Amino acid sequence: MQFFADTAVLTEIDQLNKIGLVDGVTTNPTLIAKSGADFKEVIKDICSMIRGPVSAEVASPAYEGMVAEGEVLAALAHNVVVKLPITVDGLRACRYFADKGIKTNLTLCFTANQALLAAKAGATYVSPFIGRLDDINLDGMELIRNIRTIFDNYSFDTRILAASVRSANHVTEAALAGADVATMPTSVILKLAEHPLTDKGLATFLADWKATGQSIL
Ligand code: G3P
């Protein structure tokens, strides 16, 4: 499973990069607004910090605007992935970019049918939003499982990018469900390594080692 950082904050990406935990980055208009950064500049900066794919989302809801904006975003760096909403216009723009060999991430996916349409339009990634389905008492993880089954049934190449990931459990469940990628806030990535028994066991090891009076160096 690949881990993408769902943030446009450069210091967070740098922190995760140093740990070697970032295979890519996803952004969206809300994350860009939260970062306070200039959109095109921060995308160029992120693309220079990591080798993996960096999703940059168009702002226009109409096909013509999506194409024009997507062309600008794709030209910013070789690892830009053009992010498009799963609407009729977004699917049409997806086909346009797929035919040109430009990678796409079809976002705001909430049904298996939307994911099926994205795959048929040649999307590189599709982003089912787990947390926002859970928020309305639906089962976000069931969507991941259903998309996995459908994509495997027809050997679609589109990769399932689990999004709206809110917890470490979401990551485990998405991995069990067969998602190819999980994109998550920095706080969630950092939580993945945490366990109180690990901390307790390490404290005991260190105390017992100290009691030996020995040194490795
Ligand atoms: O990548 C999508 C993600 O940023 C949305 O997360 O928590 O706002 O549903 P959330």
Side-chain angles (χ1 to χ4, degrees):
M1 172 181 257
Q2 290 193 312
F3 288 169
F4 288 5
D6 197 33
T7 180
V9 178
L10 298 182
T11 52
E12 290 182 18
I13 296 167
D14 184 52
Q15 175 191 15
L16 294 173
N17 228 5
K18 286 190 173 86
I19 308 170
L21 285 179
V22 185
D23 299 307
V25 170
T26 53
T27 69
N28 60 44
T30 300
L31 293 172
I32 295 296
K34 279 180 183 172
S35 75
D38 174 90
F39 181 29
K40 287 184 277 189
E41 288 308 311
V42 79
I43 294 298
K44 284 191 282 188
D45 289 341
I46 295 170
C47 288
S48 69
M49 292 170 73
I50 66 159
R51 287 194 300 269
V54 177
S55 287
E57 189 162 342
V58 299
S60 171
Y63 169 74
E64 293 76 12
M66 288 176 180
V67 167
E69 291 173 351
E71 295 273 17
V72 168
L73 296 175
L76 292 176
H78 74 279
N79 49 333
V80 164
V81 173
V82 176
K83 205 171 185 184
L84 302 157
I86 297 186
T87 60
V88 170
D89 283 66
L91 290 163
R92 188 180 166 202
C94 178
R95 174 48 61 199
Y96 170 88
F97 288 114
D99 290 345
K100 292 188 71 174
I102 293 173
K103 288 185 168 58
T104 56
N105 177 359
L106 275 280
T107 190
L108 290 169
C109 175
F110 295 100
T111 69
N113 281 339
Q114 286 178 320
L116 181 52
L117 287 169
K120 288 173 65 65
T124 311
Y125 301 96
V126 64
S127 292
F129 276 36
I130 300 168
R132 293 193 189 184
L133 286 168
D134 291 356
D135 290 343
I136 59 170
N137 295 316
L138 294 176
D139 185 345
M141 213 51 71
E142 184 183 21
L143 175 59
I144 303 286
R145 286 190 290 272
N146 291 344
I147 295 171
R148 179 75 280 155
T149 300
I150 291 169
F151 282 15
D152 292 349
N153 286 349
Y154 299 96
S155 303
F156 283 122
D157 293 329
T158 301
R159 275 158 268 171
I160 303 171
L161 198 168
S164 189
V165 169
R166 309 279 181 76
S167 67
N169 281 342
H170 269 171
V171 177
T172 305
E173 289 176 35
L176 288 169
D180 299 289
V181 186
T183 193
M184 61 197 109
T186 302
S187 58
V188 172
I189 295 181
L190 294 175
K191 278 196 178 69
L192 296 178
E194 292 177 4
H195 195 288
L197 289 180
T198 303
D199 297 341
K200 184 181 177 191
L202 181 58
T204 302
F205 286 165
L206 295 178
D208 290 347
W209 173 253
K210 187 176 181 183
T212 70
Q214 297 182 57
S215 170
I216 296 171
L217 299 177

